Amino acid sequence: MKVQVPYLSRIEGHAHLVVDTKAGEVVECQLEVVETPRFFEKLLVGRHYSEVAGLASRICGVCSHSHTLVSLMATERAFGMEVSEQVTSLRRLLMYGEILQSHLLHLYFMAVPDYLGVNSLLAMAQSRRDLVARALRLKKLGSDICEVIGGRPVHPVTTCVGGFHRFPEASELQRLRRCLSKALPDLEQTVELVAGLDWPDFSHQAECLALHDSDGYPQFGETLISSAGLQVPNSCYREMIREYVVPHSTAKHARINDETYMVGPLARLRQGFHHLSPLAREVADLQGLSPSTNNPYLSQGARLVEVLHCVEQSMHLIDHLLLEGLKYEEPVVTCKAREGVATLEAPRGVLLHAYSYDKEGFLTSADCVIPTAQNLANLEMNLRARVPQIIDEEPDTFQSELEKLVRAYDPCLSCSTHLLTIDRL
Amino acid sequence: MKPRVGFFDFTGCEGCQLTILNLAEKLLDVLDLVEVVEFREVQGHCNEDLDIAFVEGSICRLDEEKRLRMIRTRSKKLITLGACADLAGINIAHEEAGGAELAMAVYGSDSKHLQGGQARPVSVIVPIDGRIPGCPVDGQEFLSILHALLLDRPTNLPAFSLCVECKLAELPCTFEQGIVCLGPVVRAGCNALCIEGGDRCRGCRGLVDNPRESSYHRVLETFNRSVDDILEEYRTYNLRIDEE
Ligand code: SF4
Ligand code: SF4
């Protein structure tokens, strides 16, 4: 039996799914990433530091703030700059906004339709208007945060090396604070909807990788920690993460010590479980999620937990910023000819940019390690393990179960950015 | 029957489609007016005839070219969505870095799947009926163009330069800080968003129809800037194509 799903829908970017089985055995199981490579790492080279983050943000629209911030941080690292606590707090808030925007888009528009048995949420605009309106309202909550802090919901304009060109007004933050608390009933209904979905029963042990954030739940951090107990500072990422090319994909694959691994909400939840905010913790318990959960389908549940966490943390952060009072800070930049590596937790997992600069502040090399690329090999392993369990299902069910698994990883393929020397395995 | 609309994406970051999903309640109103039959990011696909196709992203490879032609044959109107589709946008930059040879040198000859191909604007491959500029597009502008299309009115874009909006917003001129800005030659319509955010205009909306070169040159002279400075700025969103 051969199943081919060309142009998978409800994912970011382009991919085909190919599964070939013979006598119950998996002969081939591949997620072919067909997105045109965009060579971002190359097109950043030669650019002035003031331009780099703006270009890097165009790697992906859905995580443009993550790419912007990690890019700014890598440049700051190279130049040996520290940013103020105020800047860090605003960046954190921006990240919460992006995670909300991305997770809610994913949960409502990409994942939930599978479980409701519909092709698209948009098609339900008449029959389930309340549901569609709620999804769009909640998604806007995240994009409003991004707009207030970053100046635009997609591709921020206020951010710069050293901090911000423009700081939000206190009144704008107060407005956000009100929107966040007003969203609680919508969130409650979301929990009811998502936590009530019937996730397939499937466990597959995988190594998980997340950042160690000294301030709590993984978000910003400079140490990579794997569930197998490995630990390296981000500047030594090449010792841990090995990226390689596979013939069927324009996105790279990655392994740690020859093993596939997972990054993203479930990996973070496992590592940061004890740092979850109270509401988020409740939602985790409600779904039976724990630090040892290893059902990849439950990444969706972890996403829901993170939504609650980000909403709660955003409210605290806004209170803190308002209490301290916002002050304008002029970023002062001194270029240095050095390498800088930075990491953060993007909605889909650990994101890393490594840059080298010359002394005039022009970029001489760039390497970007992207969450989806890190997840692809593990996703294929999961697919292989899942196929024998559902092989006797009707073709439609068979296909939709596999698509659910692909979507649980929320693959984001717009960023087939890699430029690499060929590495024959 | 409601007009049938599709959204299609080629090489780009999907930020333009996301901007449309960000319209929130206003998107619900849109759904009352039209039937969205295809939107890969959030919906399965079909192969039916369409009244309006919105196309995001630049066209880089032969397979993309073929898919675009297919979309054109089944759509009454085809509108580009964003700078990648409009100007080839940011995707063209790697060509300047060495193009096809570069891909060959780095990936080797038997890794064809890793080759990017030349990024081109949609209008180079098929005729278009309108365009929505920006990187990403502006949600409000998308709505007004959609309304114009539904009413069979022309989809005109602002014909004046960004400086006008910048001055209306009482923002200080970027040139006064010694920084080159593309405002004088770029089409208005974003409310000088980047300048408001403290950055400069980098030209994502493309050139205004008749850029007033002589007055622009005077601005450059006043602020001691050369035409080369500007041409360098043109690189980001590939403004030269628009110029030809
Ligand atoms: S125009 Fe900009 S926002 Fe739109 S797809 Fe291209 S890079 Fe993304
Ligand atoms: S100010 Fe310039 S770069 Fe910014 S959105 Fe407007 S046209 Fe685009």
Side-chain angles (χ1 to χ4, degrees), chain A residues 9-14 34 36-39 58 61 119-120 129 137 139-140 152 165 247 250 418 420 422, chain B residues 9 11 13-14 22 24-25 32 40-44 61 64 91 106-107 111 113-114 135 193 197 237:
Chain A
S9 63
R10 280 188 278 123
I11 60 168
E12 240 12 91
H14 300 125
V34 294
T36 306
R38 290 161 70 217
F39 305 103
R58 267 72 184 181
N119 175 347
S120 159
R129 204 170 177 87
R137 260 198 316 272
K139 215 192 81 50
K140 191 156 181 302
R152 180 160 63 186
H165 291 301
T250 56
H418 265 293
L420 42 107
I422 209 103
Chain B
D9 57 326
T11 297
C13 80
E14 309 199 0
N22 277 341
E25 276 93 350
D32 290 338
R40 197 194 46 77
E41 201 180 334
V42 292
Q43 188 169 20
R61 300 189 301 204
E64 293 187 326
N91 295 317
V106 182
Y107 294 128
S111 299
H113 71 295
L114 288 171
C135 175
L193 180 104
Y237 290 103

Side-chain angles (χ1 to χ4, degrees), chain A residues 81-354:
Chain A
M81 294 169 63
E82 296 279 342
V83 298
S84 70
E85 199 221 305
Q86 170 178 263
V87 166
T88 310
S89 298
L90 286 169
R91 287 180 175 177
R92 210 175 259 276
L93 191 52
L94 189 58
M95 280 311 305
Y96 291 148
E98 172 148 293
I99 291 182
L100 286 176
Q101 160 165 299
S102 174
H103 279 10
L104 286 160
L105 173 75
H106 178 81
L107 283 171
Y108 271 105
F109 288 92
M110 303 185 186
V112 162
D114 275 333
Y115 294 87
L116 299 181
V118 294
N119 175 347
S120 159
L121 207 66
L122 295 182
M124 297 169 84
Q126 307 304 333
S127 58
R128 289 292 310 275
R129 204 170 177 87
D130 58 321
L131 177 73
V132 182
R134 190 201 315 146
L136 290 166
R137 260 198 316 272
L138 279 174
K139 215 192 81 50
K140 191 156 181 302
L141 192 63
S143 55
D144 280 352
I145 298 181
C146 295
E147 185 163 7
V148 167
I149 314 294
R152 180 160 63 186
V154 178
H155 302 316
V157 293
T158 59
T159 45
C160 64
V161 174
F164 287 85
H165 291 301
R166 191 191 66 131
F167 288 83
E169 303 285 335
S171 59
E172 294 175 292
L173 289 182
Q174 279 156 347
R175 183 175 63 78
L176 280 185
R177 178 71 164 81
R178 281 195 296 276
C179 293
L180 284 160
S181 53
K182 269 210 287 226
L184 290 173
D186 277 347
L187 289 165
E188 217 169 296
Q189 285 182 298
T190 308
V191 171
E192 228 163 82
L193 173 77
V194 177
L197 299 177
D198 205 3
W199 310 116
D201 183 18
F202 170 67
S203 56
H204 199 233
Q205 197 63 48
E207 190 158 355
C208 288
L209 183 75
L211 292 178
H212 172 71
D213 188 332
S214 52
D215 287 333
Y217 193 80
Q219 184 59 71
F220 293 128
E222 286 163 14
T223 312
L224 296 153
I225 296 193
S226 86
S227 54
L230 301 175
Q231 244 189 59
V232 300
N234 60 11
S235 54
C236 304
Y237 70 100
R238 291 182 188 93
E239 288 165 20
M240 188 183 216
I241 300 172
R242 186 174 64 88
E243 288 195 297
Y244 57 97
V245 191
V246 291
H248 61 275
S249 163
T250 56
K252 283 203 279 193
H253 282 203
R255 286 176 191 251
I256 297 177
N257 290 337
D258 251 16
E259 297 295 328
T260 66
Y261 65 99
M262 180 194 238
V263 294
L266 193 56
R268 286 194 289 260
L269 180 114
R270 289 177 49 151
Q271 180 155 307
F273 196 80
H274 301 292
H275 297 289
L276 285 171
S277 70
L279 269 179
R281 178 62 190 269
E282 251 177 68
V283 173
D285 291 341
L286 180 77
Q287 301 181 91
L289 291 166
S290 78
S292 56
T293 300
N294 60 12
N295 178 354
Y297 287 97
L298 280 173
S299 299
Q300 309 289 20
R303 236 164 240 129
L304 176 66
V305 172
E306 290 194 337
V307 165
L308 273 304
H309 181 80
C310 290
V311 166
E312 247 178 315
Q313 293 301 99
S314 302
M315 293 206 243
H316 293 318
L317 207 45
I318 290 176
D319 289 346
H320 172 75
L321 282 161
L322 288 172
L323 210 64
E324 296 285 307
L326 288 153
K327 325 168 249 312
Y328 179 75
E329 295 172 38
E330 181 82 39
V332 188
V333 184
T334 323
C335 304
K336 293 204 173 70
R338 272 221 308 254
E339 182 176 43
V341 179
T343 33
L344 59 71
E345 288 282 352
R348 289 162 191 75
V350 176
L351 171 65
L352 179 148
H353 283 203

Side-chain angles (χ1 to χ4, degrees), chain B residues 119-163:
Chain B
R120 280 162 301 167
V122 167
S123 60
V124 170
I125 317 288
V126 297
I128 59 169
D129 304 291
R131 51 208 196 86
I132 307 177
C135 175
V137 292
D138 179 88
Q140 286 308 322
E141 188 164 51
F142 165 78
L143 286 178
S144 57
I145 291 183
L146 177 67
H147 286 136
L149 288 165
L150 295 177
L151 297 169
D152 240 340
R153 294 238 174 92
T155 56
N156 292 340
L157 297 169
F160 47 90
S161 85
L162 191 75
C163 288

